[in-house]
Amino acid sequence: MVTSIESQLLSSTTELRAQVELLVNSTPVMDAHTHLFPLEFNELCLWGIDELLTYHYLTAEALRTARLPYEQFWAMSKMAQADLVWKTLFVDNTPTSEAAQGIITVLDVFGLDTRATNLQEARAFFSSRNVAEHLDQVFDIAQVSGVVMTNNPFDDVEDQLWSSGISVDRRFSSSLRLDSLVNTAELAVSTITRVRKFLDDWIQRHNPVYMALSLPPDFNFPADDARDRLLREVILPTAKEHRLALTLMVGARRGVNPQLREAGDGLGRADVTAIERLCAQYPDVKFLATFLSRENQHELCIAARKFNNLMPFGCWWFLNNPSIVSEITRERFELLGQSFIPQHSDARVLEQLIYKWQHARRQIADALYDSYKQLLSRGRAVTTEEISRDVNRLFSGNFNDWVRNPVYPV
Ligand code: FIX
Ligand code: ZN
């Protein structure tokens, strides 16, 4: 018997809310940008309470309150640093920040004491884990089907690991990160040819899902500088030739306070028209773009409306706070329908997948529910199948389609 469409329509807001929550919380997500590595990458695979607490988001916060010089903090062992962060942010103060609440979410998921006065219980728990099983469980809890790594082709440690013939966990896709190439000074013409050959080989060997580059707020295109030349003569031709999307992460101001090391970067408002010009000049390259400044978010949506080779993704780094994620996600639904990638985790430590996705799903579910409720009030109800289609598109479909298919069918 065929059920009529009317009988499937979610015309009660209670039922609608329940279906949205169910689907948003149970649909697997493809995490488009992380700094995670699989177990095969040995010490590059970070997990456990000491890594979680020494995450740069938290060291920056702890060092605002803890009364000790930066150098003294960096001279401490990782465990001593983690103890200090715990005492400062979780014992002596209330962990209200997003990064601190993330730790609470992780501890709670594993049934650990969120009000502990020290890290004894948490350390005992994590060291009792079988790492491979733990990794599976984290992916399972976070409902993450796969993650994209950030691979630096010029990193010796990574290079040695790749060369040792490891077979990488299939849930981890590689990406070709080009920051160290772009940050090197002038390149001679002969070097350009060599670099192209080097990238071609790397791509052939490691099959990345995209090429990526982070850019400062003053990024301009076109420009009379070495970066422009690299883009035109190396990066964009390579993207075209290998049919690889190019991910641009714009607005990071590196080393604003170098004493804070990895935690010392800041942000700045960028010029979205530079990305528009790239999209216009390279219509056969697909761009994924994320901007770090809150002030650039609306402009990015409008640029994406003008160029269908531009895919906005994620609420990056300093934007990854519930209030801002909520605002940006709602703005994107209003301007782009479902043609964007709402979030990526940027996780560096395995268990961050749990909190970053749990917190993001909360905001995405609320924004999606409000959109459907508004639609209902205007005279159109949705079905469970439609919600499922939309969530799948947002959580994996848009990304998979973007990185697998060229702009125009050939
Ligand atoms: O450039 C990037 O990929 C940034 O995400 C990182 O550099 C940054 O340190 C980070 O972890 C942000 O979440
Ligand atoms: Zn990142």
Side-chain angles (χ1 to χ4, degrees), residues 325-383:
V325 172
S326 169
E327 170 187 296
I328 296 175
T329 308
R330 285 161 196 272
E331 187 171 50
R332 289 174 176 169
F333 280 135
E334 287 169 355
L335 284 162
L336 299 170
Q338 294 92 48
S339 67
F340 67 96
I341 296 164
Q343 189 54 310
H344 67 272
S345 76
D346 233 308
R348 283 175 181 263
V349 183
L350 177 66
E351 298 85 359
Q352 289 169 346
L353 288 177
I354 296 175
Y355 94 77
K356 298 219 186 206
W357 282 110
Q358 194 190 103
H359 296 193
R361 284 178 203 268
R362 167 85 275 132
Q363 300 311 320
I364 296 166
D366 286 351
L368 201 52
Y369 167 68
D370 284 344
S371 296
Y372 293 141
K373 193 172 68 165
Q374 200 169 58
L375 201 53
L376 181 62
S377 76
R378 287 171 177 155
R380 177 166 168 156
V382 293
T383 66

Short mmCIF file of all heavy atoms in Angstrom, two decimals, residues 325-383:
data_model
loop_
_atom_site.label_atom_id
_atom_site.label_comp_id
_atom_site.label_asym_id
_atom_site.label_seq_id
_atom_site.Cartn_x
_atom_site.Cartn_y
_atom_site.Cartn_z
N VAL A 325 28.16 29.97 15.97
CA VAL A 325 27.77 28.88 15.06
C VAL A 325 26.28 29.01 14.73
O VAL A 325 25.86 28.86 13.58
CB VAL A 325 28.07 27.49 15.68
CG1 VAL A 325 27.51 26.37 14.82
CG2 VAL A 325 29.58 27.30 15.87
N SER A 326 25.50 29.33 15.75
CA SER A 326 24.06 29.47 15.55
C SER A 326 23.78 30.59 14.54
O SER A 326 23.05 30.41 13.55
CB SER A 326 23.41 29.79 16.90
OG SER A 326 22.09 30.18 16.71
N GLU A 327 24.41 31.71 14.76
CA GLU A 327 24.19 32.87 13.87
C GLU A 327 24.60 32.56 12.42
O GLU A 327 23.84 32.80 11.48
CB GLU A 327 25.03 34.03 14.43
CG GLU A 327 25.16 35.24 13.56
CD GLU A 327 26.16 36.22 14.19
OE1 GLU A 327 25.89 36.74 15.28
OE2 GLU A 327 27.23 36.45 13.58
N ILE A 328 25.79 31.99 12.26
CA ILE A 328 26.29 31.74 10.90
C ILE A 328 25.45 30.67 10.19
O ILE A 328 25.13 30.79 9.01
CB ILE A 328 27.78 31.31 10.94
CG1 ILE A 328 28.65 32.44 11.48
CG2 ILE A 328 28.27 30.86 9.57
CD1 ILE A 328 30.12 32.06 11.67
N THR A 329 25.09 29.63 10.93
CA THR A 329 24.32 28.54 10.31
C THR A 329 22.96 29.05 9.84
O THR A 329 22.49 28.73 8.74
CB THR A 329 24.17 27.37 11.30
OG1 THR A 329 25.47 27.03 11.79
CG2 THR A 329 23.55 26.15 10.65
N ARG A 330 22.33 29.86 10.67
CA ARG A 330 21.02 30.41 10.30
C ARG A 330 21.15 31.32 9.06
O ARG A 330 20.33 31.27 8.15
CB ARG A 330 20.42 31.19 11.47
CG ARG A 330 19.89 30.27 12.55
CD ARG A 330 19.72 30.95 13.90
NE ARG A 330 19.59 29.93 14.93
CZ ARG A 330 18.44 29.38 15.30
NH1 ARG A 330 17.31 29.80 14.76
NH2 ARG A 330 18.40 28.44 16.22
N GLU A 331 22.19 32.13 9.06
CA GLU A 331 22.42 33.03 7.92
C GLU A 331 22.61 32.21 6.64
O GLU A 331 22.08 32.54 5.57
CB GLU A 331 23.69 33.83 8.22
CG GLU A 331 24.01 34.92 7.26
CD GLU A 331 25.16 35.78 7.80
OE1 GLU A 331 26.20 35.22 8.20
OE2 GLU A 331 25.01 37.01 7.82
N ARG A 332 23.35 31.11 6.76
CA ARG A 332 23.60 30.28 5.57
C ARG A 332 22.33 29.59 5.09
O ARG A 332 22.09 29.50 3.88
CB ARG A 332 24.69 29.25 5.88
CG ARG A 332 26.08 29.89 6.00
CD ARG A 332 27.11 28.88 6.45
NE ARG A 332 28.45 29.46 6.49
CZ ARG A 332 29.50 28.86 7.04
NH1 ARG A 332 29.37 27.66 7.59
NH2 ARG A 332 30.69 29.43 7.03
N PHE A 333 21.49 29.10 6.03
CA PHE A 333 20.23 28.50 5.58
C PHE A 333 19.38 29.52 4.83
O PHE A 333 18.75 29.21 3.83
CB PHE A 333 19.41 27.95 6.77
CG PHE A 333 19.87 26.59 7.26
CD1 PHE A 333 20.02 26.33 8.61
CD2 PHE A 333 20.13 25.57 6.36
CE1 PHE A 333 20.44 25.09 9.06
CE2 PHE A 333 20.55 24.31 6.79
CZ PHE A 333 20.71 24.08 8.15
N GLU A 334 19.40 30.75 5.34
CA GLU A 334 18.57 31.79 4.71
C GLU A 334 19.09 32.21 3.34
O GLU A 334 18.31 32.55 2.45
CB GLU A 334 18.50 33.02 5.63
CG GLU A 334 17.60 32.77 6.84
CD GLU A 334 17.70 33.84 7.91
OE1 GLU A 334 18.55 34.75 7.79
OE2 GLU A 334 16.94 33.76 8.88
N LEU A 335 20.40 32.18 3.17
CA LEU A 335 20.97 32.67 1.91
C LEU A 335 21.34 31.56 0.92
O LEU A 335 21.43 31.80 -0.28
CB LEU A 335 22.20 33.52 2.18
CG LEU A 335 21.87 34.93 2.71
CD1 LEU A 335 23.09 35.55 3.37
CD2 LEU A 335 21.38 35.82 1.57
N LEU A 336 21.59 30.37 1.44
CA LEU A 336 22.11 29.32 0.55
C LEU A 336 21.31 28.03 0.55
O LEU A 336 21.73 27.05 -0.09
CB LEU A 336 23.58 29.00 0.96
CG LEU A 336 24.57 30.16 0.88
CD1 LEU A 336 25.88 29.78 1.53
CD2 LEU A 336 24.80 30.58 -0.58
N GLY A 337 20.19 28.00 1.24
CA GLY A 337 19.45 26.73 1.33
C GLY A 337 20.32 25.69 2.01
O GLY A 337 20.86 25.94 3.10
N GLN A 338 20.50 24.55 1.35
CA GLN A 338 21.38 23.53 1.96
C GLN A 338 22.70 23.40 1.20
O GLN A 338 23.42 22.41 1.35
CB GLN A 338 20.69 22.16 1.98
CG GLN A 338 19.47 22.08 2.88
CD GLN A 338 18.22 22.42 2.09
OE1 GLN A 338 18.02 21.89 1.00
NE2 GLN A 338 17.40 23.29 2.62
N SER A 339 23.05 24.41 0.38
CA SER A 339 24.25 24.28 -0.46
C SER A 339 25.51 24.81 0.24
O SER A 339 26.20 25.68 -0.29
CB SER A 339 24.02 24.97 -1.80
OG SER A 339 23.90 26.37 -1.62
N PHE A 340 25.79 24.27 1.43
CA PHE A 340 27.01 24.65 2.16
C PHE A 340 27.37 23.49 3.10
O PHE A 340 26.59 22.56 3.27
CB PHE A 340 26.80 25.95 2.93
CG PHE A 340 25.80 25.86 4.06
CD1 PHE A 340 26.21 25.64 5.37
CD2 PHE A 340 24.43 25.98 3.81
CE1 PHE A 340 25.28 25.55 6.41
CE2 PHE A 340 23.50 25.88 4.84
CZ PHE A 340 23.93 25.67 6.15
N ILE A 341 28.56 23.59 3.67
CA ILE A 341 29.00 22.55 4.63
C ILE A 341 29.04 23.23 6.00
O ILE A 341 29.89 24.10 6.24
CB ILE A 341 30.40 22.01 4.23
CG1 ILE A 341 30.31 21.29 2.88
CG2 ILE A 341 30.94 21.07 5.31
CD1 ILE A 341 31.63 21.04 2.20
N PRO A 342 28.09 22.91 6.88
CA PRO A 342 27.92 23.72 8.09
C PRO A 342 29.11 23.73 9.04
O PRO A 342 29.40 24.74 9.65
CB PRO A 342 26.69 23.13 8.77
CG PRO A 342 26.41 21.84 8.10
CD PRO A 342 27.06 21.87 6.76
N GLN A 343 29.79 22.59 9.16
CA GLN A 343 30.86 22.60 10.15
C GLN A 343 31.95 21.59 9.81
O GLN A 343 31.72 20.63 9.07
CB GLN A 343 30.27 22.31 11.56
CG GLN A 343 31.21 22.49 12.73
CD GLN A 343 31.89 23.85 12.80
OE1 GLN A 343 32.47 24.35 11.82
NE2 GLN A 343 31.87 24.48 13.96
N HIS A 344 33.15 21.86 10.32
CA HIS A 344 34.24 20.88 10.34
C HIS A 344 34.76 20.95 11.76
O HIS A 344 34.54 21.96 12.44
CB HIS A 344 35.32 21.28 9.32
CG HIS A 344 36.03 22.54 9.68
ND1 HIS A 344 35.57 23.80 9.29
CD2 HIS A 344 37.13 22.78 10.43
CE1 HIS A 344 36.38 24.73 9.77
NE2 HIS A 344 37.34 24.13 10.47
N SER A 345 35.46 19.92 12.24
CA SER A 345 35.82 19.98 13.67
C SER A 345 37.13 20.70 13.93
O SER A 345 37.32 21.27 14.99
CB SER A 345 35.89 18.57 14.26
OG SER A 345 37.08 17.93 13.84
N ASP A 346 38.08 20.62 12.99
CA ASP A 346 39.44 21.14 13.24
C ASP A 346 40.09 20.43 14.41
O ASP A 346 41.06 20.94 15.01
CB ASP A 346 39.44 22.67 13.48
CG ASP A 346 40.42 23.37 12.55
OD1 ASP A 346 41.58 22.95 12.51
OD2 ASP A 346 40.00 24.31 11.84
N ALA A 347 39.58 19.23 14.75
CA ALA A 347 40.12 18.49 15.90
C ALA A 347 41.60 18.20 15.72
O ALA A 347 42.06 17.91 14.62
CB ALA A 347 39.35 17.18 16.08
N ARG A 348 42.34 18.34 16.81
CA ARG A 348 43.75 17.95 16.83
C ARG A 348 43.95 16.71 17.70
O ARG A 348 44.93 16.00 17.56
CB ARG A 348 44.61 19.08 17.43
CG ARG A 348 44.84 20.20 16.46
CD ARG A 348 45.58 21.37 17.06
NE ARG A 348 45.70 22.36 16.03
CZ ARG A 348 46.79 22.53 15.26
NH1 ARG A 348 47.85 21.80 15.45
NH2 ARG A 348 46.81 23.44 14.32
N VAL A 349 43.03 16.54 18.65
CA VAL A 349 43.11 15.43 19.60
C VAL A 349 41.85 14.59 19.38
O VAL A 349 40.75 15.14 19.29
CB VAL A 349 43.18 15.96 21.05
CG1 VAL A 349 43.34 14.82 22.04
CG2 VAL A 349 44.31 16.98 21.21
N LEU A 350 42.06 13.28 19.28
CA LEU A 350 40.98 12.36 18.88
C LEU A 350 39.62 12.64 19.56
O LEU A 350 38.60 12.80 18.88
CB LEU A 350 41.45 10.93 19.19
CG LEU A 350 40.45 9.82 18.93
CD1 LEU A 350 40.13 9.69 17.45
CD2 LEU A 350 40.98 8.49 19.48
N GLU A 351 39.61 12.70 20.90
CA GLU A 351 38.33 12.79 21.61
C GLU A 351 37.62 14.12 21.39
O GLU A 351 36.45 14.27 21.73
CB GLU A 351 38.52 12.55 23.11
CG GLU A 351 39.07 11.18 23.47
CD GLU A 351 40.60 11.12 23.40
OE1 GLU A 351 41.23 12.14 23.06
OE2 GLU A 351 41.16 10.03 23.68
N GLN A 352 38.33 15.09 20.82
CA GLN A 352 37.65 16.36 20.49
C GLN A 352 36.53 16.14 19.48
O GLN A 352 35.59 16.93 19.41
CB GLN A 352 38.65 17.38 19.94
CG GLN A 352 39.59 17.91 21.01
CD GLN A 352 40.74 18.71 20.42
OE1 GLN A 352 40.99 18.66 19.22
NE2 GLN A 352 41.45 19.42 21.26
N LEU A 353 36.64 15.05 18.71
CA LEU A 353 35.55 14.75 17.76
C LEU A 353 34.23 14.65 18.49
O LEU A 353 33.18 15.07 17.97
CB LEU A 353 35.82 13.44 17.02
CG LEU A 353 36.93 13.42 15.96
CD1 LEU A 353 37.09 12.02 15.40
CD2 LEU A 353 36.59 14.41 14.83
N ILE A 354 34.28 14.11 19.71
CA ILE A 354 33.03 13.90 20.47
C ILE A 354 32.38 15.24 20.79
O ILE A 354 31.22 15.48 20.47
CB ILE A 354 33.32 13.10 21.76
CG1 ILE A 354 33.82 11.69 21.41
CG2 ILE A 354 32.08 13.05 22.66
CD1 ILE A 354 34.24 10.87 22.61
N TYR A 355 33.15 16.13 21.41
CA TYR A 355 32.50 17.37 21.84
C TYR A 355 32.23 18.32 20.68
O TYR A 355 31.17 18.95 20.62
CB TYR A 355 33.28 18.04 22.98
CG TYR A 355 34.29 19.11 22.63
CD1 TYR A 355 33.90 20.41 22.28
CD2 TYR A 355 35.66 18.85 22.69
CE1 TYR A 355 34.85 21.40 21.98
CE2 TYR A 355 36.61 19.83 22.41
CZ TYR A 355 36.19 21.11 22.04
OH TYR A 355 37.12 22.07 21.77
N LYS A 356 33.19 18.40 19.74
CA LYS A 356 32.99 19.38 18.67
C LYS A 356 31.75 19.01 17.86
O LYS A 356 30.99 19.89 17.47
CB LYS A 356 34.23 19.45 17.78
CG LYS A 356 35.46 19.92 18.57
CD LYS A 356 36.33 20.83 17.78
CE LYS A 356 37.60 21.18 18.51
NZ LYS A 356 38.19 22.45 18.11
N TRP A 357 31.55 17.71 17.63
CA TRP A 357 30.36 17.34 16.84
C TRP A 357 29.09 17.35 17.67
O TRP A 357 28.04 17.75 17.18
CB TRP A 357 30.58 16.00 16.11
CG TRP A 357 31.43 16.26 14.90
CD1 TRP A 357 32.72 15.88 14.69
CD2 TRP A 357 31.05 17.05 13.74
NE1 TRP A 357 33.18 16.37 13.49
CE2 TRP A 357 32.18 17.09 12.88
CE3 TRP A 357 29.90 17.72 13.36
CZ2 TRP A 357 32.17 17.78 11.66
CZ3 TRP A 357 29.87 18.40 12.16
CH2 TRP A 357 31.00 18.43 11.32
N GLN A 358 29.20 16.97 18.94
CA GLN A 358 27.99 17.04 19.77
C GLN A 358 27.50 18.48 19.88
O GLN A 358 26.32 18.78 19.70
CB GLN A 358 28.26 16.45 21.16
CG GLN A 358 27.00 16.19 21.95
CD GLN A 358 27.32 15.86 23.40
OE1 GLN A 358 27.16 16.69 24.30
NE2 GLN A 358 27.76 14.62 23.64
N HIS A 359 28.42 19.40 20.12
CA HIS A 359 28.03 20.81 20.26
C HIS A 359 27.54 21.39 18.93
O HIS A 359 26.58 22.17 18.91
CB HIS A 359 29.19 21.64 20.80
CG HIS A 359 29.63 21.25 22.19
ND1 HIS A 359 30.47 22.02 22.96
CD2 HIS A 359 29.35 20.17 22.96
CE1 HIS A 359 30.68 21.43 24.13
NE2 HIS A 359 30.02 20.30 24.14
N ALA A 360 28.20 21.04 17.83
CA ALA A 360 27.78 21.56 16.52
C ALA A 360 26.40 21.03 16.15
O ALA A 360 25.54 21.78 15.65
CB ALA A 360 28.79 21.18 15.44
N ARG A 361 26.17 19.74 16.41
CA ARG A 361 24.86 19.15 16.05
C ARG A 361 23.73 19.88 16.77
O ARG A 361 22.65 20.05 16.21
CB ARG A 361 24.84 17.66 16.40
CG ARG A 361 25.62 16.78 15.41
CD ARG A 361 25.57 15.32 15.88
NE ARG A 361 26.65 14.52 15.34
CZ ARG A 361 26.61 13.81 14.22
NH1 ARG A 361 25.51 13.79 13.50
NH2 ARG A 361 27.65 13.10 13.83
N ARG A 362 23.98 20.27 18.02
CA ARG A 362 22.95 21.00 18.80
C ARG A 362 22.53 22.27 18.04
O ARG A 362 21.35 22.54 17.84
CB ARG A 362 23.57 21.32 20.17
CG ARG A 362 22.92 22.26 21.07
CD ARG A 362 21.82 21.67 21.96
NE ARG A 362 20.55 21.66 21.21
CZ ARG A 362 19.73 20.62 21.11
NH1 ARG A 362 19.99 19.49 21.71
NH2 ARG A 362 18.63 20.70 20.41
N GLN A 363 23.53 23.06 17.60
CA GLN A 363 23.22 24.33 16.92
C GLN A 363 22.59 24.09 15.55
O GLN A 363 21.67 24.81 15.14
CB GLN A 363 24.48 25.19 16.76
CG GLN A 363 25.14 25.57 18.07
CD GLN A 363 24.14 26.13 19.08
OE1 GLN A 363 23.23 26.89 18.73
NE2 GLN A 363 24.27 25.72 20.33
N ILE A 364 23.09 23.07 14.83
CA ILE A 364 22.56 22.79 13.49
C ILE A 364 21.11 22.31 13.61
O ILE A 364 20.24 22.74 12.84
CB ILE A 364 23.46 21.77 12.75
CG1 ILE A 364 24.85 22.36 12.51
CG2 ILE A 364 22.82 21.31 11.44
CD1 ILE A 364 25.93 21.37 12.10
N ALA A 365 20.84 21.46 14.61
CA ALA A 365 19.47 20.97 14.80
C ALA A 365 18.53 22.13 15.11
O ALA A 365 17.44 22.24 14.54
CB ALA A 365 19.42 19.93 15.92
N ASP A 366 18.95 23.02 16.00
CA ASP A 366 18.08 24.15 16.36
C ASP A 366 17.79 25.04 15.15
O ASP A 366 16.65 25.45 14.91
CB ASP A 366 18.75 25.02 17.45
CG ASP A 366 18.71 24.35 18.82
OD1 ASP A 366 18.03 23.31 18.95
OD2 ASP A 366 19.38 24.85 19.74
N ALA A 367 18.85 25.31 14.36
CA ALA A 367 18.67 26.20 13.20
C ALA A 367 17.79 25.53 12.15
O ALA A 367 16.91 26.17 11.55
CB ALA A 367 20.03 26.55 12.62
N LEU A 368 18.02 24.23 11.93
CA LEU A 368 17.24 23.52 10.93
C LEU A 368 15.76 23.43 11.34
O LEU A 368 14.85 23.67 10.54
CB LEU A 368 17.84 22.11 10.75
CG LEU A 368 17.56 21.35 9.47
CD1 LEU A 368 17.88 22.18 8.24
CD2 LEU A 368 18.38 20.05 9.44
N TYR A 369 15.55 23.12 12.62
CA TYR A 369 14.18 23.03 13.12
C TYR A 369 13.46 24.38 12.93
O TYR A 369 12.32 24.43 12.44
CB TYR A 369 14.17 22.62 14.60
CG TYR A 369 12.83 22.82 15.26
CD1 TYR A 369 11.73 22.04 14.89
CD2 TYR A 369 12.64 23.82 16.22
CE1 TYR A 369 10.48 22.23 15.48
CE2 TYR A 369 11.41 24.03 16.81
CZ TYR A 369 10.33 23.24 16.42
OH TYR A 369 9.10 23.45 16.99
N ASP A 370 14.14 25.45 13.26
CA ASP A 370 13.51 26.77 13.11
C ASP A 370 13.19 27.08 11.65
O ASP A 370 12.15 27.67 11.35
CB ASP A 370 14.39 27.88 13.71
CG ASP A 370 14.30 27.88 15.24
OD1 ASP A 370 13.35 27.26 15.78
OD2 ASP A 370 15.18 28.49 15.89
N SER A 371 14.05 26.64 10.72
CA SER A 371 13.76 26.85 9.30
C SER A 371 12.51 26.08 8.88
O SER A 371 11.64 26.61 8.19
CB SER A 371 14.89 26.34 8.40
OG SER A 371 16.04 27.04 8.63
N TYR A 372 12.45 24.80 9.27
CA TYR A 372 11.28 23.98 8.89
C TYR A 372 10.00 24.51 9.55
O TYR A 372 8.93 24.48 8.95
CB TYR A 372 11.48 22.53 9.31
CG TYR A 372 12.59 21.78 8.59
CD1 TYR A 372 13.40 20.89 9.30
CD2 TYR A 372 12.82 21.93 7.22
CE1 TYR A 372 14.41 20.16 8.66
CE2 TYR A 372 13.83 21.21 6.58
CZ TYR A 372 14.62 20.34 7.30
OH TYR A 372 15.61 19.63 6.69
N LYS A 373 10.14 24.97 10.80
CA LYS A 373 8.96 25.48 11.51
C LYS A 373 8.43 26.73 10.80
O LYS A 373 7.22 26.90 10.63
CB LYS A 373 9.34 25.81 12.97
CG LYS A 373 8.13 26.04 13.85
CD LYS A 373 8.51 26.17 15.30
CE LYS A 373 9.28 27.45 15.51
NZ LYS A 373 9.43 27.87 16.89
N GLN A 374 9.35 27.56 10.36
CA GLN A 374 8.95 28.77 9.64
C GLN A 374 8.24 28.40 8.33
O GLN A 374 7.22 28.96 7.97
CB GLN A 374 10.20 29.59 9.34
CG GLN A 374 9.92 31.04 9.04
CD GLN A 374 11.22 31.83 9.02
OE1 GLN A 374 12.12 31.50 8.24
NE2 GLN A 374 11.35 32.81 9.86
N LEU A 375 8.83 27.40 7.66
CA LEU A 375 8.24 26.92 6.41
C LEU A 375 6.82 26.39 6.65
O LEU A 375 5.90 26.67 5.89
CB LEU A 375 9.15 25.79 5.89
CG LEU A 375 9.14 25.40 4.43
CD1 LEU A 375 9.37 26.58 3.52
CD2 LEU A 375 10.23 24.33 4.19
N LEU A 376 6.67 25.67 7.75
CA LEU A 376 5.36 25.12 8.12
C LEU A 376 4.36 26.26 8.35
O LEU A 376 3.23 26.21 7.86
CB LEU A 376 5.52 24.28 9.40
CG LEU A 376 4.29 23.59 9.97
CD1 LEU A 376 3.71 22.58 8.98
CD2 LEU A 376 4.64 22.88 11.29
N SER A 377 4.82 27.30 9.04
CA SER A 377 3.90 28.42 9.33
C SER A 377 3.50 29.14 8.05
O SER A 377 2.50 29.84 8.00
CB SER A 377 4.54 29.38 10.32
OG SER A 377 5.50 30.17 9.65
N ARG A 378 4.32 28.98 7.00
CA ARG A 378 3.99 29.65 5.73
C ARG A 378 3.19 28.76 4.80
O ARG A 378 2.86 29.15 3.69
CB ARG A 378 5.27 30.13 5.06
CG ARG A 378 5.80 31.32 5.83
CD ARG A 378 7.13 31.81 5.47
NE ARG A 378 7.39 32.98 6.28
CZ ARG A 378 8.58 33.44 6.61
NH1 ARG A 378 9.65 32.82 6.18
NH2 ARG A 378 8.71 34.51 7.35
N GLY A 379 2.94 27.53 5.23
CA GLY A 379 2.05 26.65 4.46
C GLY A 379 2.70 25.43 3.84
O GLY A 379 2.07 24.74 3.06
N ARG A 380 3.96 25.13 4.18
CA ARG A 380 4.55 23.90 3.64
C ARG A 380 5.21 23.08 4.75
O ARG A 380 6.15 23.54 5.41
CB ARG A 380 5.60 24.22 2.57
CG ARG A 380 6.27 22.95 2.05
CD ARG A 380 7.04 23.15 0.79
NE ARG A 380 7.87 21.97 0.53
CZ ARG A 380 8.30 21.61 -0.66
NH1 ARG A 380 7.99 22.33 -1.72
NH2 ARG A 380 9.06 20.54 -0.81
N ALA A 381 4.70 21.85 4.91
CA ALA A 381 5.30 20.94 5.89
C ALA A 381 6.35 20.08 5.18
O ALA A 381 6.31 19.92 3.96
CB ALA A 381 4.21 20.05 6.48
N VAL A 382 7.31 19.55 5.95
CA VAL A 382 8.31 18.65 5.35
C VAL A 382 8.04 17.22 5.81
O VAL A 382 7.31 17.00 6.79
CB VAL A 382 9.76 19.06 5.73
CG1 VAL A 382 10.15 20.38 5.11
CG2 VAL A 382 9.97 19.07 7.25
N THR A 383 8.67 16.26 5.14
CA THR A 383 8.55 14.86 5.55
C THR A 383 9.87 14.42 6.19
O THR A 383 10.91 15.08 6.01
CB THR A 383 8.28 13.94 4.34
OG1 THR A 383 9.45 13.98 3.49
CG2 THR A 383 7.07 14.38 3.54
#
